[in-house]
């Protein structure tokens, strides 16, 4: 393909990774790509040009070999190329970006046809991507970047009905959240009745989730039962690279440098959640933080090894089917 350089190594499987256009999705895809590229896979990461430009900086710093594949989305007067990403995108243009992204399926089809990957790893918002790949006999794996608990919670009600009881009472919705949930459920079906759960259905045998057994073990197991897929945690996938030189001298980095290794746990509740003072105090107590950190550290290598083994198995399985 003339649009990007194909750097294939004989004997390695070629994986095409395709995240949604938000950096909260691109970042874990990129970190997983870095890991897989060091474990006998040729990795191709597809996104818009403005997102790929930001990725190049991170790749240059750690010399990771990942092939960047530009995705062309339809031009719209109110959506110039610099806004082909959710970063710095005005809120009112988010539906426009989403529509343009959905309409990029023909360009993505050209990429699939030219690259002919051995496997596709896809994101939540583009169910048309695995459909295109599966139609050509290419296995697809869904990568859930938001952890297992939320997926298990909503998949439970999708499977068992809205009046059913989630088996883990510590997870529940407040009244105002129920209103938001109803609104979301009305708007997440642009591609048929299974826009959300369909991502799990189309995933070939396994689903990857940005999590670890040490934190979400029971929810990972329950999600596996609900979707009838093997759920493989990838670990937290946190970048170790400093994006800006001044960050190295920032107050928070200096504070962290004074702590012992594995003594501090970073907890993120997303960009749209705000804790009460009481909740902040409970988090600050950190009674289980050290134990949790050690558990994550011990499990991470084993979990990533399992991810590598299962992805390799899928590539071999589908190649064998094509050959018969």
């Amino acid at each position: 393909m003339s649009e990007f350089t194909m750097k294939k190594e004989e004997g390695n499987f070629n994986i095409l990774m395709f995240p949604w256009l938000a950096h909260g999705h691109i970042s874990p895809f990129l970190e997983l790509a870095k890991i897989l590229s060091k474990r006998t896979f040729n990795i191709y990461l597809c996104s818009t040009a403005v997102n790929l430009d930001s990725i190049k900086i991170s790749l240059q710093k750690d010399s990771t070999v990942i092939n960047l594949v530009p995705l062309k989305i339809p031009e719209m007067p109110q959506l110039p190329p610099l806004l082909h990403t959710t970063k710095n995108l005005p809120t009112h243009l988010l539906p426009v970006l989403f529509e343009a992204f959905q309409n990029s399926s023909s360009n993505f089809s050209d990429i699939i046809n030219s690259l002919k990957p051995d496997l596709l790893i896809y994101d939540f918002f583009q169910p048309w991507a695995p459909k295109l790949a599966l139609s050509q006999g290419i296995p697809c794996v869904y990568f859930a970047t938001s952890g297992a608990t939320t997926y298990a919670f909503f998949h439970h009600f999708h499977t068992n009905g809205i009046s059913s009881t989630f088996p883990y009472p510590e997870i529940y919705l407040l009244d105002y959240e129920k209103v938001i949930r109803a609104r979301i459920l009305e708007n997440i079906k642009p591609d048929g009745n299974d826009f959300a759960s369909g991502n799990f259905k189309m995933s070939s045998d396994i689903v990857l989730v940005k999590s670890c057994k040490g934190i979400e073990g029971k929810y990972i197991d329950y999600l596996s039962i609900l979707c009838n897929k093997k759920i493989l945690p990838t670990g937290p996938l946190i970048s170790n690279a400093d994006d800006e030189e001044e960050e190295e001298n920032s107050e928070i980095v200096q504070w962290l440098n004074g702590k012992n290794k594995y003594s501090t746990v970073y907890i993120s509740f997303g960009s749209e959640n705000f804790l009460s003072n009481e909740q902040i105090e409970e988090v600050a107590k950190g009674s289980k933080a050290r134990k949790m950190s050690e558990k994550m550290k011990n499990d991470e290598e084993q979990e990533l090894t399992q991810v590598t083994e299962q992805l390799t198995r899928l590539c071999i399985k589908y190649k064998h089917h094509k050959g018969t």
Side-chain angles (χ1 to χ4, degrees):
M1 179 183 287
S2 60
E3 294 182 357
F4 60 94
T5 303
M6 300 174 64
K7 300 176 182 177
K8 295 185 177 181
E9 296 181 21
E10 291 298 325
N12 290 357
F13 289 112
N14 305 303
I15 296 180
L16 176 61
M17 303 182 70
F18 188 33
W20 162 236
L21 304 180
H23 278 265
H25 291 244
I26 295 170
S27 179
F29 265 77
L30 177 60
E31 294 308 311
L32 181 60
K34 291 177 182 178
I35 292 168
L36 294 178
S37 69
K38 297 172 183 176
R39 299 186 178 219
T40 69
F41 293 108
N42 298 318
I43 301 297
Y44 299 81
L45 198 149
C46 179
S47 191
T48 54
V50 63
N51 285 324
L52 295 184
D53 285 343
S54 66
I55 288 174
K56 291 174 184 176
I57 299 174
S58 175
L59 295 180
Q60 289 169 355
K61 288 186 176 181
D62 64 9
S63 302
T64 304
V65 179
I66 294 175
N67 301 282
L68 303 181
V69 184
L71 175 74
K72 295 180 180 179
I73 65 177
E75 293 185 7
M76 296 184 176
Q78 68 271 51
L79 201 69
L82 285 177
L83 294 182
H84 291 173
T85 173
T86 62
K87 186 176 182 180
N88 301 323
L89 182 75
T91 305
H92 72 279
L93 288 180
L94 183 57
V96 180
L97 177 64
F98 186 80
E99 179 184 355
F101 184 61
Q102 303 306 308
N103 292 334
S104 68
S105 58
S106 60
N107 179 243
F108 187 75
S109 179
D110 293 338
I111 291 171
I112 287 281
N113 291 332
S114 299
L115 182 58
K116 294 181 172 57
D118 296 300
L119 185 140
L120 169 69
I121 298 179
Y122 63 97
D123 207 339
F124 183 87
F125 293 103
Q126 53 264 37
W128 41 268
K131 287 181 180 179
L132 286 170
L134 289 169
S135 69
Q136 299 188 31
I138 299 170
C140 304
V141 172
Y142 174 43
F143 179 25
T145 60
S146 302
T149 304
T150 301
Y151 287 101
F153 184 80
F154 284 103
H155 207 306
H156 166 89
F157 293 107
H158 174 84
T159 303
N160 301 295
I162 201 69
S163 60
S164 62
T165 301
F166 190 63
Y168 303 103
E170 63 271 21
I171 306 299
Y172 60 92
L173 293 180
L174 300 174
D175 289 341
Y176 80 91
E177 292 174 322
K178 293 177 182 178
V179 175
I180 296 174
R181 175 187 64 183
R183 191 182 308 138
I184 292 174
L185 292 177
E186 290 176 358
N187 294 310
I188 62 172
K189 298 179 180 180
D191 196 63
N193 294 326
D194 289 326
F195 182 77
S197 64
N199 283 307
F200 289 92
K201 289 181 181 179
M202 288 184 286
S203 194
S204 304
D205 299 349
I206 65 174
V207 170
L208 304 181
V209 60
K210 193 189 77 168
S211 184
C212 58
K213 282 274 192 177
I215 294 179
E216 293 191 295
K218 62 183 179 182
Y219 304 112
I220 289 173
D221 293 340
Y222 187 52
L223 179 59
S224 179
I225 293 171
L226 289 169
C227 68
N228 196 29
K229 306 283 183 180
K230 185 177 181 64
I231 307 295
L232 298 179
T234 64
L237 299 176
I238 298 173
S239 173
N240 293 319
D242 293 322
D243 292 332
E244 302 290 342
E245 184 177 344
E246 56 265 24
E247 288 185 5
E248 297 179 4
N249 298 316
S250 68
E251 182 179 351
I252 184 65
V253 171
Q254 290 181 15
W255 181 84
L256 286 171
N257 286 339
K259 302 299 179 182
N260 294 329
K261 192 174 183 180
Y262 302 118
S263 67
T264 306
V265 176
Y266 169 70
I267 302 174
S268 172
F269 294 94
S271 58
E272 300 178 11
N273 296 285
F274 305 94
L275 302 185
S276 66
N277 289 335
E278 291 79 8
Q279 290 172 321
I280 291 174
E281 289 176 1
E282 287 299 315
V283 172
K285 291 177 182 177
S287 58
K288 297 181 180 179
R290 184 181 297 275
K291 184 182 295 185
M292 187 181 297
S293 178
E294 289 295 327
K295 177 66 174 172
M296 290 171 61
K297 176 171 66 78
N298 293 334
D299 289 348
E300 186 173 14
E301 184 61 30
Q302 181 180 353
E303 290 171 344
L304 288 172
T305 297
Q306 190 175 20
V307 167
T308 302
E309 291 174 349
Q310 290 297 320
L311 292 179
T312 301
R313 182 191 63 81
L314 269 179
C315 291
I316 294 174
K317 173 183 175 180
Y318 276 75
K319 273 214 164 186
H320 175 73
H321 286 174
K322 282 185 176 181
T324 58

